Amino acid sequence: MSTCQQVARPLVRCLRQAGPGAATCSTRSVAVAAVRPFSSTPMRKDEGATTTTTTTTSPADSTTTTTTPPPPPSATEAKAAVADTVVGGPELGSRRRRAALATTGNLPFEQLPYQCFQEARKILQQDRAAKIAQIVKETEKIKLIEARDASEFEGGEAAKQTRIKSLRNYIEELKILADINDPEVKRRFEDGRGDMTKPVYRFLAERRWRSMDYKIIAQRISQFHVVPDLLPAFDPTMDVKLSFRGYQVSPGAILDSRVTEVAPTLRMQVFDKGERLLTVVVIDSDVPNVTHDNFKRRCHFLAANIPWDPSKTVLSLRSVGDRVEGDVGKPWLPPFAQKGSPYHRLNVFVLEQKPGVKIDGEALKKHLENRENFSLKGFRKKFDLEPVGFNLFRSEWDEGTAEVMERHGIPGAEVEFKRQKFASLKPPRKARGWEAKRQKPKYKSLWKYVKRIA
């Protein structure tokens, strides 16, 4: 028996309890059978149409006609319905929940016929009402504090604002606690239909991000030495995912140069309320510098003054300055690596600007007259930016790199890097053992197998 059939069997058994015996009983017994096993839950929408009993009596003959409900779906039909749900659309939560939805028809989620479920919802509603009452109480406190003069506080205006900020944070926490256990909220979040303007959905999104994706990004920052190569310290606070041509890229993956020829799309999610301005920078931190025998940085993309809020999720770098508001300092330059050079780290940084402060477009272009020798530390310090998001991918020389460089007018496709070989400074070693014994012309046929014999 499949897992889906095991899940659907209790539901089918529960639905069959009111069906078969209804047609063989009298009118009164049919009415009793139509009643649900418990009376504390709401009725199904279609129950009136499927379980009603009509009695018609004529003078000629006294006959009773009963309309029996349709048979409940079998386990096979439930399995097919679940498969249609998975294939035809996005997965809705767990397999158990999808099986329940497939066998309960058009019954609303909050009216599922499970007595324990409905009793638990009552407790949650009572707890939510208590939290809302507490929110109203704390809001009144804030109004009273705002009405008081700052001289009444021991620390003056600073202490007053600190107190107000503390109460507002507490109210945000109460808003989360009021809805965190609501099954309807969890269902919407699992289905990807959560309203990110509400604190509870932002809290759930951040908790899910920190459970795995944040750990992967933090590992890549340490593994690829992003800190301290580009920044002295960095801890991301927003989710940034990278995709090229519609395909999501795992952090640190090596991509073909023909794939990265087109600017990527970023899926960004912030977890705090309010609108802010963002700056996106893409840096190649492994550009060979032959003159000084080290590596330098190159800016491959830079755009500033991009408005963002929790309700927005997708940013196409190709659309910045056109369909998306923002100032482009440097357009997208396809990543490339010359033959023989090690892989190049392409770092995607998202930096947050000061509230209400826009970067002057002319000053931005003047600062970036040359893509080479770009310093993220200096750029961050000059425009007072705070790094909040990060992702990266890698690029190597491949069969399509020369074509990409030619299409975009990038010189250096014929350059090949090779490791420089140095002659040994050790004196020649005297022949010994097997070599010394067989250096006579008699063993000339074996000299080709012996090293260091002229």
Side-chain angles (χ1 to χ4, degrees), residues 45-116:
K45 290 182 178 179
D46 58 340
E47 194 164 9
T50 57
T51 61
T52 56
T53 305
T54 59
T55 304
T56 59
T57 305
S58 63
D61 55 346
S62 178
T63 59
T64 302
T65 304
T66 59
T67 303
T68 58
S74 62
T76 306
E77 294 175 350
K79 182 177 180 180
V82 173
D84 293 340
T85 303
V86 175
V87 175
E91 294 189 3
L92 305 177
S94 63
R95 176 182 289 272
R96 184 183 297 274
R97 185 183 147 225
R98 296 199 301 272
L101 291 176
T103 54
T104 52
N106 60 348
L107 188 66
F109 175 74
E110 63 273 8
Q111 297 180 9
L112 289 178
Y114 305 112
Q115 187 171 9
C116 182

Coordinates of all heavy atoms in Angstrom, one line a residue, residues 45-116:
K45 N -20.1 23.0 2.9 CA -20.9 23.8 1.9 C -21.8 23.0 1.1 O -23.0 23.3 0.9 CB -19.9 24.6 1.0 CG -19.2 25.7 1.7 CD -18.3 26.5 0.7 CE -17.6 27.6 1.3 NZ -16.8 28.3 0.4
D46 N -21.4 21.8 0.7 CA -22.2 21.0 -0.2 C -22.9 19.9 0.5 O -23.5 19.0 -0.1 CB -21.3 20.4 -1.3 CG -20.2 19.5 -0.7 OD1 -19.9 19.7 0.5 OD2 -19.7 18.7 -1.4
E47 N -23.0 20.0 1.9 CA -23.6 18.9 2.6 C -25.1 19.0 2.5 O -25.8 18.0 2.5 CB -23.2 19.0 4.1 CG -23.5 17.8 4.9 CD -22.8 17.7 6.2 OE1 -22.2 18.8 6.6 OE2 -22.9 16.7 6.8
G48 N -25.6 20.2 2.4 CA -27.1 20.3 2.2 C -27.6 19.7 0.9 O -28.7 19.2 0.8
A49 N -26.7 19.7 -0.1 CA -27.1 19.2 -1.4 C -26.9 17.7 -1.5 O -27.6 17.0 -2.3 CB -26.4 19.9 -2.5
T50 N -26.0 17.2 -0.7 CA -25.6 15.7 -0.9 C -26.2 14.8 0.2 O -26.3 13.6 0.0 CB -24.1 15.6 -0.8 OG1 -23.6 16.1 0.4 CG2 -23.4 16.3 -2.0
T51 N -26.7 15.4 1.3 CA -27.2 14.5 2.4 C -28.6 14.8 2.7 O -29.1 14.4 3.8 CB -26.3 14.6 3.6 OG1 -26.3 16.0 4.0 CG2 -24.9 14.2 3.3
T52 N -29.3 15.7 2.0 CA -30.7 16.0 2.3 C -31.6 14.9 1.9 O -31.4 14.1 1.0 CB -31.1 17.3 1.6 OG1 -30.9 17.1 0.2 CG2 -30.3 18.5 2.0
T53 N -32.7 14.7 2.7 CA -33.7 13.7 2.4 C -35.0 14.3 2.1 O -35.5 15.2 2.9 CB -33.9 12.8 3.7 OG1 -32.6 12.3 4.0 CG2 -34.8 11.6 3.4
T54 N -35.7 14.0 1.0 CA -37.0 14.5 0.6 C -38.0 13.4 0.7 O -37.9 12.3 0.2 CB -36.9 15.0 -0.9 OG1 -36.5 13.9 -1.7 CG2 -35.9 16.1 -1.0
T55 N -39.1 13.7 1.4 CA -40.2 12.7 1.6 C -41.5 13.3 0.9 O -41.9 14.4 1.2 CB -40.5 12.5 3.1 OG1 -39.3 12.1 3.7 CG2 -41.6 11.5 3.3
T56 N -42.0 12.6 -0.1 CA -43.2 13.0 -0.8 C -44.3 11.9 -0.6 O -44.1 10.7 -0.8 CB -42.9 13.1 -2.3 OG1 -42.4 11.9 -2.8 CG2 -41.8 14.2 -2.5
T57 N -45.5 12.3 -0.1 CA -46.6 11.4 0.2 C -47.8 11.9 -0.6 O -48.2 13.0 -0.5 CB -46.9 11.4 1.7 OG1 -45.7 11.1 2.4 CG2 -48.0 10.4 2.0
S58 N -48.3 11.0 -1.4 CA -49.5 11.3 -2.2 C -50.7 10.5 -1.7 O -50.6 9.4 -1.0 CB -49.3 11.0 -3.7 OG -49.0 9.6 -3.8
P59 N -52.0 10.9 -2.0 CA -53.1 10.1 -1.5 C -53.2 8.7 -2.1 O -53.7 7.8 -1.5 CB -54.3 11.0 -2.0 CG -53.8 12.3 -2.2 CD -52.3 12.2 -2.6
A60 N -52.7 8.6 -3.3 CA -52.8 7.3 -4.0 C -51.9 6.3 -3.3 O -52.3 5.2 -3.0 CB -52.5 7.4 -5.5
D61 N -50.7 6.6 -3.2 CA -49.7 5.7 -2.5 C -48.8 6.5 -1.6 O -48.4 7.6 -1.9 CB -48.9 4.9 -3.6 CG -48.2 5.9 -4.5 OD1 -48.5 7.1 -4.5 OD2 -47.3 5.4 -5.2
S62 N -48.5 6.0 -0.5 CA -47.7 6.6 0.5 C -46.3 6.0 0.4 O -46.1 4.9 0.9 CB -48.3 6.4 1.9 OG -47.4 7.0 2.8
T63 N -45.4 6.6 -0.4 CA -44.1 6.1 -0.6 C -43.1 7.2 -0.1 O -43.3 8.4 -0.3 CB -43.8 5.8 -2.1 OG1 -44.0 7.0 -2.8 CG2 -44.7 4.7 -2.5
T64 N -42.0 6.8 0.3 CA -40.9 7.6 0.8 C -39.7 7.5 -0.2 O -39.2 6.4 -0.4 CB -40.5 7.3 2.2 OG1 -41.6 7.4 3.0 CG2 -39.4 8.2 2.7
T65 N -39.3 8.7 -0.7 CA -38.1 8.7 -1.6 C -36.9 9.3 -0.9 O -37.1 10.4 -0.4 CB -38.5 9.5 -2.9 OG1 -39.6 8.9 -3.5 CG2 -37.3 9.4 -3.9
T66 N -35.8 8.7 -0.9 CA -34.6 9.2 -0.3 C -33.5 9.4 -1.3 O -33.4 8.6 -2.2 CB -34.1 8.2 0.8 OG1 -33.8 7.0 0.2 CG2 -35.2 8.1 1.9
T67 N -32.8 10.5 -1.2 CA -31.7 10.7 -2.1 C -30.4 10.5 -1.3 O -30.1 11.1 -0.3 CB -31.7 12.2 -2.5 OG1 -32.9 12.5 -3.1 CG2 -30.5 12.5 -3.5
T68 N -29.7 9.5 -1.7 CA -28.4 9.1 -1.0 C -27.3 9.9 -1.5 O -27.2 10.3 -2.7 CB -28.1 7.6 -1.3 OG1 -28.0 7.4 -2.7 CG2 -29.3 6.7 -0.7
P69 N -26.3 10.1 -0.6 CA -25.1 10.9 -1.0 C -24.3 10.1 -2.0 O -24.3 8.9 -2.0 CB -24.4 11.2 0.3 CG -24.8 10.1 1.2 CD -26.2 9.7 0.8
P70 N -23.5 10.8 -2.8 CA -22.6 10.1 -3.7 C -21.5 9.4 -2.9 O -21.1 9.8 -1.8 CB -22.0 11.2 -4.6 CG -22.1 12.4 -3.8 CD -23.4 12.2 -3.0
P71 N -21.0 8.3 -3.4 CA -19.9 7.5 -2.7 C -18.7 8.4 -2.5 O -18.4 9.2 -3.4 CB -19.7 6.3 -3.6 CG -20.1 6.7 -4.9 CD -21.3 7.6 -4.7
P72 N -18.0 8.3 -1.4 CA -16.8 9.0 -1.2 C -15.7 8.6 -2.2 O -15.7 7.4 -2.7 CB -16.4 8.8 0.2 CG -17.1 7.4 0.5 CD -18.3 7.4 -0.3
P73 N -14.7 9.4 -2.4 CA -13.7 9.0 -3.4 C -12.8 7.9 -2.8 O -12.6 7.8 -1.6 CB -12.8 10.3 -3.5 CG -13.1 11.1 -2.3 CD -14.6 10.8 -1.9
S74 N -12.5 7.0 -3.6 CA -11.6 5.9 -3.2 C -10.2 6.3 -3.0 O -9.8 7.4 -3.3 CB -11.7 4.7 -4.3 OG -11.2 5.2 -5.5
A75 N -9.4 5.4 -2.5 CA -8.0 5.7 -2.2 C -7.2 6.0 -3.5 O -6.4 6.9 -3.6 CB -7.3 4.6 -1.5
T76 N -7.6 5.2 -4.6 CA -7.0 5.5 -5.9 C -7.3 6.9 -6.5 O -6.5 7.6 -7.0 CB -7.5 4.4 -6.9 OG1 -7.2 3.1 -6.4 CG2 -6.7 4.5 -8.2
E77 N -8.6 7.2 -6.3 CA -9.0 8.6 -6.8 C -8.3 9.7 -6.0 O -7.9 10.7 -6.5 CB -10.5 8.7 -6.7 CG -11.3 7.8 -7.7 CD -12.8 7.9 -7.4 OE1 -13.2 8.5 -6.4 OE2 -13.5 7.4 -8.3
A78 N -8.2 9.5 -4.7 CA -7.5 10.4 -3.9 C -6.0 10.6 -4.3 O -5.5 11.7 -4.3 CB -7.6 10.0 -2.4
K79 N -5.4 9.4 -4.6 CA -4.0 9.4 -5.0 C -3.8 10.2 -6.3 O -2.9 11.0 -6.5 CB -3.5 8.0 -5.2 CG -2.0 8.0 -5.6 CD -1.5 6.5 -5.6 CE -0.1 6.4 -6.0 NZ 0.4 5.1 -6.1
A80 N -4.8 10.0 -7.3 CA -4.8 10.7 -8.5 C -5.0 12.2 -8.3 O -4.3 13.0 -9.0 CB -5.8 10.1 -9.5
A81 N -5.9 12.5 -7.4 CA -6.1 14.0 -7.1 C -4.9 14.6 -6.6 O -4.5 15.8 -6.9 CB -7.3 14.1 -6.2
V82 N -4.2 13.9 -5.7 CA -3.0 14.5 -5.1 C -1.9 14.6 -6.2 O -1.2 15.6 -6.3 CB -2.4 13.6 -4.0 CG1 -1.1 14.0 -3.5 CG2 -3.4 13.6 -2.8
A83 N -1.8 13.7 -7.1 CA -0.8 13.8 -8.2 C -1.1 14.9 -9.1 O -0.3 15.7 -9.5 CB -0.8 12.5 -9.0
D84 N -2.5 15.2 -9.4 CA -2.8 16.3 -10.2 C -2.5 17.6 -9.5 O -2.0 18.6 -10.2 CB -4.3 16.3 -10.5 CG -4.7 15.1 -11.4 OD1 -3.8 14.6 -12.1 OD2 -5.9 14.7 -11.4
T85 N -2.6 17.6 -8.2 CA -2.3 18.9 -7.5 C -0.8 19.2 -7.6 O -0.4 20.3 -7.7 CB -2.7 18.7 -6.0 OG1 -4.1 18.4 -5.9 CG2 -2.4 20.0 -5.2
V86 N 0.0 18.1 -7.5 CA 1.5 18.3 -7.5 C 1.9 18.7 -8.9 O 2.8 19.6 -9.1 CB 2.2 17.1 -7.0 CG1 3.7 17.2 -7.1 CG2 1.8 16.8 -5.6
V87 N 1.4 18.0 -9.9 CA 1.9 18.2 -11.3 C 1.3 19.5 -11.8 O 2.0 20.3 -12.5 CB 1.5 17.0 -12.2 CG1 1.9 17.3 -13.6 CG2 2.2 15.8 -11.7
G88 N 0.0 19.8 -11.6 CA -0.6 20.9 -12.2 C -0.2 22.3 -11.6 O -0.5 23.3 -12.2
G89 N 0.3 22.3 -10.4 CA 0.6 23.6 -9.7 C 1.6 23.4 -8.7 O 2.2 22.3 -8.6
P90 N 1.9 24.4 -7.9 CA 3.0 24.3 -6.9 C 2.5 23.4 -5.8 O 1.4 23.2 -5.5 CB 3.1 25.8 -6.4 CG 1.8 26.4 -6.7 CD 1.3 25.7 -8.0
E91 N 3.5 22.8 -5.1 CA 3.2 21.9 -4.0 C 2.6 22.7 -2.9 O 3.2 23.7 -2.4 CB 4.5 21.1 -3.6 CG 5.0 20.2 -4.7 CD 6.1 19.3 -4.1 OE1 6.4 19.4 -2.9 OE2 6.7 18.5 -4.9
L92 N 1.5 22.2 -2.4 CA 0.8 22.9 -1.3 C 1.1 22.2 0.0 O 0.4 21.3 0.5 CB -0.7 22.9 -1.5 CG -1.1 23.5 -2.9 CD1 -2.6 23.4 -3.0 CD2 -0.7 25.0 -3.0
G93 N 2.2 22.6 0.7 CA 2.5 22.1 2.0 C 2.9 20.6 1.9 O 3.5 20.1 1.0
S94 N 2.6 19.9 3.0 CA 3.1 18.5 3.1 C 2.2 17.6 2.3 O 1.1 17.9 1.9 CB 3.0 18.1 4.6 OG 1.7 18.2 5.1
R95 N 2.6 16.3 2.2 CA 1.8 15.3 1.5 C 0.5 15.0 2.2 O -0.5 14.8 1.6 CB 2.7 14.0 1.3 CG 1.9 12.9 0.7 CD 2.8 11.7 0.6 NE 3.8 11.8 -0.4 CZ 3.7 11.5 -1.7 NH1 2.6 11.0 -2.1 NH2 4.7 11.7 -2.5
R96 N 0.6 15.0 3.5 CA -0.6 14.7 4.4 C -1.7 15.8 4.1 O -2.8 15.5 4.0 CB -0.2 14.6 5.8 CG -1.4 14.2 6.7 CD -0.9 14.3 8.2 NE 0.1 13.3 8.4 CZ -0.1 12.0 8.7 NH1 -1.3 11.6 8.8 NH2 0.9 11.2 9.0
R97 N -1.2 17.0 4.0 CA -2.2 18.1 3.8 C -2.8 18.0 2.4 O -4.0 18.3 2.2 CB -1.5 19.4 4.1 CG -2.5 20.6 4.0 CD -1.8 21.9 4.2 NE -2.5 22.9 3.3 CZ -2.0 23.8 2.5 NH1 -0.7 23.8 2.4 NH2 -2.7 24.6 1.9
R98 N -2.0 17.7 1.4 CA -2.5 17.6 0.1 C -3.5 16.5 -0.1 O -4.5 16.6 -0.8 CB -1.3 17.4 -0.9 CG -0.3 18.6 -0.9 CD 0.5 18.6 -2.2 NE 1.3 17.4 -2.4 CZ 2.5 17.2 -1.9 NH1 3.1 18.2 -1.2 NH2 3.2 16.1 -2.1
A99 N -3.2 15.4 0.6 CA -4.2 14.3 0.6 C -5.5 14.7 1.3 O -6.6 14.3 0.8 CB -3.6 13.1 1.3
A100 N -5.4 15.5 2.4 CA -6.6 15.9 3.0 C -7.4 16.8 2.1 O -8.7 16.8 2.0 CB -6.3 16.6 4.3
L101 N -6.8 17.7 1.4 CA -7.5 18.7 0.5 C -8.1 17.9 -0.6 O -9.2 18.3 -1.1 CB -6.5 19.7 0.0 CG -5.9 20.7 1.0 CD1 -4.9 21.6 0.3 CD2 -7.1 21.6 1.5
A102 N -7.4 16.8 -1.1 CA -8.0 16.1 -2.2 C -9.2 15.3 -1.9 O -10.0 15.0 -2.8 CB -6.9 15.1 -2.8
T103 N -9.4 14.9 -0.6 CA -10.5 14.1 -0.2 C -11.6 14.8 0.5 O -12.6 14.2 0.9 CB -10.0 13.0 0.7 OG1 -9.3 13.6 1.8 CG2 -9.1 12.0 0.0
T104 N -11.5 16.1 0.7 CA -12.5 16.9 1.3 C -13.2 17.9 0.4 O -14.0 18.8 0.8 CB -12.0 17.7 2.5 OG1 -10.8 18.5 2.1 CG2 -11.6 16.8 3.6
G105 N -13.0 17.8 -0.9 CA -13.7 18.6 -1.9 C -13.4 20.0 -1.8 O -12.3 20.5 -1.6
N106 N -14.5 20.8 -1.8 CA -14.4 22.3 -1.8 C -14.6 22.8 -0.3 O -15.0 24.0 -0.2 CB -15.5 22.9 -2.7 CG -16.9 22.6 -2.3 OD1 -17.1 21.7 -1.5 ND2 -17.9 23.2 -2.9
L107 N -14.4 22.0 0.6 CA -14.5 22.4 2.0 C -13.4 23.4 2.4 O -12.2 23.1 2.1 CB -14.4 21.2 3.0 CG -14.7 21.5 4.4 CD1 -16.2 21.9 4.6 CD2 -14.4 20.2 5.3
P108 N -13.7 24.6 2.9 CA -12.6 25.5 3.3 C -11.7 24.9 4.3 O -12.0 24.1 5.1 CB -13.4 26.7 3.9 CG -14.8 26.6 3.3 CD -15.0 25.1 3.2
F109 N -10.4 25.4 4.2 CA -9.4 24.9 5.1 C -9.7 25.0 6.5 O -9.5 24.1 7.3 CB -8.1 25.6 4.7 CG -6.9 25.2 5.6 CD1 -6.3 24.0 5.5 CD2 -6.5 26.1 6.6 CE1 -5.3 23.6 6.3 CE2 -5.4 25.7 7.4 CZ -4.8 24.5 7.3
E110 N -10.2 26.2 6.9 CA -10.5 26.4 8.3 C -11.7 25.7 8.8 O -12.0 25.7 10.0 CB -10.8 27.9 8.6 CG -11.9 28.5 7.9 CD -11.6 29.0 6.5 OE1 -10.5 28.7 6.0 OE2 -12.4 29.6 5.8
Q111 N -12.5 24.9 7.9 CA -13.6 24.2 8.3 C -13.4 22.7 8.2 O -14.4 21.9 8.0 CB -14.9 24.6 7.5 CG -15.3 26.0 7.8 CD -16.5 26.5 7.0 OE1 -17.1 25.6 6.3 NE2 -16.8 27.7 7.0
L112 N -12.2 22.2 8.1 CA -11.9 20.8 8.0 C -12.5 20.0 9.1 O -12.5 20.5 10.3 CB -10.4 20.6 8.0 CG -9.6 21.0 6.7 CD1 -8.1 20.8 6.9 CD2 -10.1 20.3 5.5
P113 N -13.2 18.9 8.9 CA -14.0 18.2 9.9 C -13.2 17.3 10.8 O -13.3 16.1 10.9 CB -14.9 17.3 9.0 CG -14.1 17.0 7.8 CD -13.3 18.2 7.5
Y114 N -12.3 18.0 11.6 CA -11.5 17.3 12.6 C -11.8 18.0 13.9 O -11.4 19.2 14.1 CB -10.0 17.3 12.3 CG -9.7 16.8 10.9 CD1 -9.2 17.6 9.9 CD2 -9.9 15.4 10.6 CE1 -9.0 17.1 8.6 CE2 -9.7 14.9 9.3 CZ -9.2 15.8 8.4 OH -8.9 15.3 7.1
Q115 N -12.3 17.3 14.9 CA -12.8 18.0 16.1 C -11.6 18.5 16.9 O -11.6 19.7 17.4 CB -13.5 17.0 17.0 CG -14.1 17.6 18.2 CD -15.1 16.6 18.9 OE1 -15.1 15.4 18.6 NE2 -15.8 17.1 19.9
C116 N -10.5 17.8 16.9 CA -9.3 18.3 17.7 C -8.8 19.6 17.0 O -8.4 20.5 17.7 CB -8.2 17.2 17.7 SG -6.7 17.7 18.6

